[in-house]
């Protein structure tokens, strides 16, 4: 739980007081905080550098059991992400101190001309909230515990101005943690049906309508691609539809998320080294479900529909095969070149269905789609594909604001021929391995009809092996903050 406080720093009673410190300039106004910062900088192991921290026990100036200083680096380079990270690190360190609470001090001194205090408040709140999470429910003994309360110290005027923003941050960050929990959950506890139910339940709690289509319904709808991918699993596929529909909705935004609860690769089985992590192959689905729920909580003006195909890509006597030809929802036939290119298949049905059923103004899909995208952009940046340049700009900008970065990738028309098939309307893979992320995106573009569409490939940033400033090792929840920010921007878009 995040709260704001305007109690003067020297009166605040807390386990841990967290103070962000700049290397070469005092950014705090309060004389007590300034004095503490001078004291910290006087100790030769702490210069206020990025990645530096220092803790003092019960200094006389304040009523905190300890004061944690977190370095921000040089003043000239300050950006909201530094504050997000500093708050995240501070909270993580506070969590190691057995129990209790922490108070973060929002700087109120000279921040230069480019940083608005509202943005710093938002960034610190986010970093603190996202850090305060222990994703190890299966361990018999928890090493650290989440803090019960986190307060953000700021003056009364800013506190008053920030209440609404803080509510929004609370919803979006809770969504991000929910997405992380879903993704971290092992595949043996999230079969397509189980995950569909979990997500539906969470959605209904927030007034979002949830519908689960089972394999019989999918057969009736002729979703041949989803059914093919799901055929090899003992746990049949589902299509989950989340529908947030405010009265007098201003248009519809549709989100489509890849939900492969485990990607063994199918008969094109993944080798050791690639298969272990594949419980995360539903990170797109998690981001979409959590974003619909968070936007409903915030009360978006548009109708937001989340369409989530859930399957397990396994090996069995019933599994689909390389060489099979399947018919997608829109009637197009697909020759299977590789059963491990399953994400694009389930998205094909889901995108075609969404376009036809909801005719949205904008449709965004999110998917851990290709290893090739990770090769291209690494583990921290998502690939962004869209033929619509303004939509690309909105998503890129949203990504910069929340530091979930997206890089625009091309959709060259002449590459489309890589998907040609001798036997069917198209194949699900190209002839070689080059440009894999682009080829996958071009495949998806065959199923969107005339809908304004963007595709975000999050195979890299969905997961981190190591701890980050505001995330434990494991799922990052990447995409929730991005989608919520993009939806807010689309609401303001003139069209
Ligand atoms: N789920 C994988 C992509 C992936 C890779 C996600 C690494 C997260 C981390 C996807 O279904 C896949 O297997 N893609 C293949 C496509 C290929 C067979 C054309 C790939 O990227 O190798
Ligand atoms: Mn695969
Ligand atoms: Zn996959």
């Amino acid at each position: 739980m995040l709260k704001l406080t305007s109690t003067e720093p020297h009166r605040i009673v807390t386990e841990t007081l967290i103070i962000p410190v700049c290397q070469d300039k005092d950014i705090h106004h309060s004389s007590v905080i300034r004095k503490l910062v001078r004291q910290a900088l006087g100790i030769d192991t702490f210069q206020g550098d990025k990645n530096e921290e220092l803790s003092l026990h019960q200094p006389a100036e304040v009523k905190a059991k300890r004061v944690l200083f977190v370095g921000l680096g040089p003043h000239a380079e300050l950006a909201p992400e530094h504050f997000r990270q500093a708050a995240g690190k501070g909270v993580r360190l506070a969590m190691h101190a057995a129990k209790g609470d922490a108070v973060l001090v929002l700087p109120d001194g000279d921040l230069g001309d480019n940083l608005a205090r509202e943005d710093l408040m938002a960034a610190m709140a986010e970093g603190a909230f996202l850090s305060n999470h222990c994703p190890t429910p299966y361990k018999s003994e928890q090493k650290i515990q989440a803090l019960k309360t986190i307060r953000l110290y700021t003056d009364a005027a800013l506190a008053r101005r920030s209440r609404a923003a803080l509510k929004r941050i609370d919803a979006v960050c809770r969504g991000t943690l929910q997405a992380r929990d879903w993704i971290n959950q092992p595949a043996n506890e999230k079969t397509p049906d189980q995950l569909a139910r979990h997500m539906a339940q969470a959605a209904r709690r927030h007034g979002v309508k949830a519908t689960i289509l089972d394999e019989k319904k999918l057969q009736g709808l002729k979703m041949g691609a989803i059914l093919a991918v799901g055929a090899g699993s003992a746990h049949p596929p589902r299509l989950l539809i989340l529908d947030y529909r405010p009265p007098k909705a201003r248009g519809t935004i549709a989100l489509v998320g890849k939900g492969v609860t485990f990607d063994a690769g199918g008969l094109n089985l993944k080798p050791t080294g690639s298969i272990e992590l594949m419980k995360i192959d539903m990170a797109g689905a998690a981001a979409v479900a959590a974003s619909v729920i968070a936007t409903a909580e915030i009360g978006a003006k548009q109708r937001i529909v989340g369409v989530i195909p859930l399957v397990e890509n396994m090996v069995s006597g019933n599994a689909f095969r390389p060489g099979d030809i399947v018919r997608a929802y829109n009637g197009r036939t697909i020759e299977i070149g590789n059963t491990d290119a399953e994400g694009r298949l389930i998205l094909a049905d889901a995108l075609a269905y969404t376009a036809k059923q909801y005719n949205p103004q904008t449709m965004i899909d999110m998917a851990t789609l290709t290893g090739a995208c990770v090769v291209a952009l690494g583990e921290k940046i998502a690939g962004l594909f869209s033929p619509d340049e303004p939509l690309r700009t909105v998503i890129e900008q949203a990504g910069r604001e929340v530091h979930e970065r997206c890089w625009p990738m091309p959709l060259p028309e002449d590459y489309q021929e890589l998907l040609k098939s001798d036997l069917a309307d198209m194949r699900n893979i190209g002839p070689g391995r080059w440009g894999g992320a682009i080829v996958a995106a071009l495949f998806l573009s065959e199923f969107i009809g005339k809908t304004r569409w963007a595709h975000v490939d999050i195979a890299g940033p969905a997961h981190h092996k190591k701890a980050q400033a505001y995330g434990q090792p494991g799922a990052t929840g990447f995409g929730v903050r991005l989608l919520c920010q993009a939806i807010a921007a689309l609401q303001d878009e003139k069209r």
Side-chain angles (χ1 to χ4, degrees):
M1 220 1 225
L2 256 175
K3 290 182 181 150
L4 294 171
T5 178
S6 302
T7 307
E8 290 161 63
H10 65 280
R11 292 183 205 276
I12 296 177
V13 179
T14 177
E15 291 271 325
T16 313
L17 191 67
I18 302 168
I19 304 178
V21 178
C22 209
Q23 204 173 35
D24 47 5
K25 194 164 212 157
D26 203 331
I27 53 173
H28 296 279
H29 186 70
S30 141
S31 57
V32 173
I33 301 294
R34 291 172 83 101
K35 199 164 159 202
L36 284 168
V37 168
R38 270 198 305 278
Q39 211 174 313
L41 289 170
I43 295 168
D44 55 9
T45 53
F46 185 75
Q47 261 100 46
D49 240 332
K50 250 179 257 162
N51 306 321
E52 267 185 1
E53 68 259 329
L54 175 85
S55 109
L56 292 179
H57 283 264
Q58 297 187 315
E61 291 81 358
V62 285
K63 291 182 174 156
K65 280 216 181 122
R66 58 180 191 155
V67 180
L68 258 174
F69 301 87
V70 230
L72 292 164
H75 190 262
E77 289 169 22
L78 284 185
E81 176 62 7
H82 298 129
F83 289 89
R84 211 177 272 119
Q85 293 196 8
K89 276 186 214 155
V91 165
R92 169 61 22 78
L93 292 166
M95 283 163 74
H96 282 278
K99 61 167 172 89
D101 77 307
V103 175
L104 293 122
V105 179
L106 187 83
D108 52 0
D110 178 10
L111 294 162
D113 297 333
N114 301 324
L115 282 178
R117 287 184 60 220
E118 279 81 355
D119 294 342
L120 291 195
M121 206 277 312
M124 284 183 67
E126 277 177 18
F129 200 119
L130 293 175
S131 197
N132 193 31
H133 181 238
C134 309
T136 51
Y138 298 91
K139 273 192 188 286
S140 308
E141 274 165 49
Q142 299 282 342
K143 263 203 214 126
I144 53 170
Q145 271 176 15
L147 302 173
K148 295 226 170 50
T149 53
I150 300 176
R151 285 172 289 168
L152 211 58
Y153 162 75
T154 181
D155 62 78
L158 182 61
R160 228 175 296 116
R161 283 208 303 280
S162 304
R163 303 245 177 249
L166 208 65
K167 260 201 162 151
R168 183 174 190 284
I169 290 163
D170 185 272
V172 175
C173 289
R174 237 180 317 115
T176 307
L177 299 185
Q178 170 68 269
R180 285 184 190 172
D181 286 343
W182 279 327
I183 300 163
N184 285 328
Q185 202 174 17
N188 60 323
E189 295 203 350
K190 58 172 180 201
T191 64
D193 186 62
Q194 286 172 325
L195 189 56
R197 284 167 193 273
H198 281 161
M199 289 176 165
Q201 204 179 36
R204 288 177 189 136
R205 271 203 298 274
H206 293 96
V208 175
K209 186 176 156 209
T211 313
I212 300 173
L213 306 183
D214 64 10
E215 71 273 28
K216 299 259 158 50
K217 291 259 169 54
L218 298 178
Q219 273 157 17
L221 285 167
K222 300 201 161 128
M223 298 212 179
I226 295 178
L227 287 163
V229 176
S233 171
H235 308 289
R238 296 286 181 263
L239 186 70
L240 170 65
I241 299 167
L242 304 178
D243 191 350
Y244 163 70
R245 195 171 194 178
K248 293 189 214 139
R250 266 202 254 144
T252 302
I253 298 178
L255 308 176
V256 179
K258 171 178 172 181
V260 178
T261 61
F262 187 74
D263 181 13
L267 290 171
N268 293 105
L269 188 63
K270 284 187 184 292
T272 298
S274 305
I275 200 170
E276 292 79 3
L277 195 65
M278 282 302 137
K279 68 169 185 184
I280 67 135
D281 211 17
M282 36 57 75
V288 164
S291 300
V292 176
I293 295 169
T295 30
E297 274 190 67
I298 296 161
K301 298 281 196 313
Q302 313 99 314
R303 180 182 188 185
I304 313 285
V305 181
V307 177
I308 300 174
L310 294 161
V311 301
E312 191 180 38
N313 188 23
M314 298 290 272
V315 183
S316 90
N318 294 322
F320 75 136
R321 315 155 186 84
D324 282 2
I325 296 176
V326 303
R327 190 182 290 275
Y329 176 79
N330 68 349
R332 307 278 286 163
T333 55
I334 306 164
E335 181 193 354
I336 306 302
N338 189 317
T339 59
D340 199 10
E342 85 297 339
R344 64 197 74 181
L345 291 169
I346 67 169
L347 290 173
D349 275 346
L351 289 166
Y353 178 79
T354 306
K356 176 139 186 261
Q357 205 65 27
Y358 297 98
N359 189 28
Q361 272 78 53
T362 306
M363 176 161 74
I364 304 173
D365 80 73
M366 193 165 268
T368 47
L369 203 62
T370 66
C373 198
V374 194
V375 173
L377 299 172
E379 290 185 291
K380 291 185 174 183
I381 302 176
L384 171 61
F385 301 80
S386 177
D388 187 292
E389 130 104 78
L391 179 58
R392 238 166 31 222
T393 306
V394 165
I395 297 174
E396 239 193 303
Q397 173 66 17
R400 259 194 300 275
E401 285 163 4
V402 301
H403 203 70
E404 290 191 335
R405 290 164 291 176
C406 299
W407 197 257
M409 302 279 280
L411 289 166
E413 248 167 58
D414 54 334
Y415 282 26
Q416 200 78 47
E417 69 183 46
L418 296 170
L419 290 165
K420 277 218 173 107
S421 162
D422 293 333
L423 300 167
D425 294 333
M426 70 191 94
R427 261 159 64 91
N428 75 329
I429 56 163
R433 58 196 210 90
W434 309 127
I438 296 172
V439 174
L442 284 168
F443 180 88
L444 298 182
S445 73
E446 293 283 327
F447 297 89
I448 58 170
K450 294 201 156 44
T451 310
R452 184 193 197 209
W453 159 79
H455 157 60
V456 188
D457 192 332
I458 59 167
H463 179 273
H464 284 312
K465 269 207 199 73
K466 288 203 219 142
Q468 308 291 303
Y470 43 91
Q472 287 281 304
T476 56
F478 186 103
V480 179
R481 290 186 298 126
L482 173 69
L483 286 174
C484 290
Q485 193 82 0
I487 287 169
L490 287 168
Q491 176 170 298
D492 302 332
E493 198 185 36
K494 279 216 184 70
R495 28 187 315 109

